[in-house]
Amino acid sequence: MWGRALTELFTVGCRKSKSQGMRVPYAVRACSGPALPVDRLTALQAVSLWRQHFQEKGVSEPDHSSQYIIAHVLGAKTFESVKKEALSEFLSPEKTEQIWKLCAKRLLRMPVQYVIEEWDFRDITLKMRPPVFIPRPETEELVEIVLSDLQKESGRLCTVEVGCGSGAISLSLLKGLPQLKAVAVDQSENAVNLTKENALRLGLDNRLEIYHLDILKDAATVLSHCSGVSAMVSNPPYLYSEDMSSLQPEILCYEDPAALDGGADGLAVIKPVLILASQILLNHGRLYLEVDPRHPPLIQRWAESHLEELQYVVTKQDFNNRPRFCILQKEETNKDHK
């Protein structure tokens, strides 16, 4: 069955799948996956075979793709953590078939995180499924920045996250700060359900409130649930619309475009987030944003001209030395802004 021709996305096209709530690639050209082997293979042989096949078919990160999938089938987090003797043992027919099925999904350019249905984020493991946005390494840095500031505070703390996705940010903050309570909102029902599932699995659901709300359409309801908070954090959709078509097929065809597309200037959601922060933060409370490297000066100018009570504090760089994170702070003023 797995020796049949498999559709592989190379020059990308996508169609909408109603049943799964995501766009899936349609065939631009057909290719064949390696046939299910007649002879038994070791894990090392399977990794080598699939790495070569992924490379031939233009699948990104062929090494990591084959290693993560096969490690997952062997019950390990990473290939490096698999015992050496296990790598040289023959795979059972069941494990071999499972590897072939999962690698066939990767051949369709499904991200590894969706293929193995989980991913580590800092010190927690999150369940993952399309089309919910996959957290990136830069977002781990955002969490570190927020934690560093909040650890200096005393007493009870409350944070609000706009656009929670899989729950990565809020759940990491809750894991790191036992005294913290958090509120998370997302316009995607898929994201809200996945965050609830991850919170329950991690035993953090008793300190997290999760709401299916769109801050653009449900502003009054959001305000009723989120007020007087110590910090607000968001990794909002910030890509410029014109950049969407150049995304890798793994992103373009599987992740929710609403979690990526920030409009013509990438600020379509960021501006309402700034306004909301000015309304719900306590005095001296801070807003932490992950943004496009072109955004920090634009955000600073817009906040200074539209939100007197929200002061721009600093821009921080990511691990590639790109201006990635904006920090703003609520300051009491004598003038009310609507």
Side-chain angles (χ1 to χ4, degrees):
M1 167 175 158
W2 294 102
R4 294 180 186 173
L6 296 168
T7 303
E8 196 262 337
L9 187 65
F10 199 69
T11 305
V12 183
C14 298
R15 59 182 172 81
K16 185 73 174 177
S17 168
K18 294 181 180 179
S19 61
Q20 297 180 6
M22 63 183 182
R23 296 180 297 173
V24 294
Y26 58 76
V28 182
R29 65 187 182 94
C31 70
S32 297
L36 194 64
V38 176
D39 297 326
R40 297 178 70 184
L41 294 177
T42 67
L44 285 172
Q45 290 172 326
V47 165
S48 178
L49 187 152
W50 275 105
R51 177 178 58 236
Q52 180 180 351
H53 196 70
F54 287 150
Q55 193 168 9
E56 290 173 354
K57 302 307 176 184
V59 175
S60 62
E61 298 185 323
D63 286 328
H64 288 156
S65 295
S66 58
Q67 289 176 4
Y68 269 116
I69 290 170
I70 291 169
H72 173 73
V73 172
L74 295 176
K77 292 283 187 184
T78 64
F79 196 69
E80 292 74 18
S81 65
V82 179
K83 293 180 180 180
K84 288 186 178 180
E85 54 269 27
L87 295 176
S88 301
E89 292 175 355
F90 286 116
L91 296 164
S92 67
E94 293 77 17
K95 284 192 181 335
T96 302
E97 184 173 1
Q98 186 180 2
I99 289 170
W100 253 245
K101 287 180 179 180
L102 295 181
C103 285
K105 291 182 179 182
R106 183 70 188 105
L107 197 62
L108 288 168
R109 304 300 282 271
M110 177 180 279
V112 170
Q113 294 90 333
Y114 292 151
V115 171
I116 66 175
E117 299 183 357
E118 66 178 27
W119 201 245
D120 286 350
F121 182 87
R122 296 187 75 252
D123 54 351
I124 60 177
T125 299
L126 299 165
K127 293 293 291 182
M128 297 299 308
R129 57 175 172 262
V132 180
F133 182 76
I134 298 167
R136 272 51 170 187
E138 292 88 345
T139 308
E140 296 192 21
E141 292 185 273
L142 176 63
V143 171
E144 291 288 349
I145 292 169
V146 180
L147 280 174
S148 178
D149 282 355
L150 292 183
Q151 284 167 348
K152 301 170 187 174
E153 304 293 328
S154 59
R156 294 182 178 180
L157 298 170
C158 181
T159 61
V160 168
E161 180 188 3
V162 175
C164 58
S166 63
I169 293 175
S170 288
L171 294 172
S172 291
L173 293 175
L174 290 169
K175 180 76 179 294
L177 295 168
Q179 75 274 32
L180 178 69
K181 289 192 175 182
V183 177
V185 302
D186 202 296
Q187 56 82 33
S188 164
E189 188 173 5
N190 288 319
V192 167
N193 290 337
L194 187 56
T195 294
K196 288 179 179 178
E197 183 179 331
N198 281 322
L200 190 62
R201 290 178 68 251
L202 293 167
L204 298 169
D205 53 302
N206 61 327
R207 291 191 284 134
L208 178 64
E209 296 178 25
I210 309 164
Y211 298 102
H212 179 207
L213 294 169
D214 184 337
I215 67 166
L216 301 176
K217 301 175 183 177
D218 309 310
T221 307
V222 173
L223 284 172
S224 70
H225 290 299
C226 313
S227 61
V229 298
S230 316
M232 182 171 164
V233 59
S234 183
N235 176 19
Y238 58 68
L239 294 183
Y240 289 62
S241 293
E242 65 182 11
D243 295 335
M244 289 289 292
S245 61
S246 63
L247 292 174
Q248 289 181 317
E250 284 86 349
I251 300 171
L252 188 63
C253 292
Y254 287 95
E255 294 190 78
D256 184 0
L260 299 162
D261 191 344
D265 59 1
L267 297 173
V269 178
I270 290 174
K271 289 176 182 178
V273 167
L274 292 167
I275 294 170
L276 180 62
S278 72
Q279 297 170 326
I280 69 173
L281 285 171
L282 292 169
N283 192 35
H284 304 309
R286 287 188 166 189
L287 167 64
Y288 302 84
L289 291 170
E290 179 180 328
V291 299
D292 184 279
R294 294 168 285 184
H295 279 150
L298 303 179
I299 290 171
Q300 183 172 2
R301 286 198 294 270
W302 193 87
E304 287 173 351
S305 62
H306 292 82
L307 299 168
E308 182 181 342
E309 62 271 42
L310 200 61
Q311 305 296 312
Y312 197 93
V313 177
V314 69
T315 301
K316 289 185 177 285
Q317 296 180 321
D318 63 19
F319 53 80
N320 288 313
N321 293 318
R322 294 171 297 190
R324 178 67 67 186
F325 311 108
C326 299
I327 302 177
L328 299 93
Q329 182 166 297
K330 173 76 172 287
E331 299 287 353
E332 287 184 351
T333 64
N334 294 323
K335 183 179 178 179
D336 291 328
H337 278 262
K338 294 185 180 179

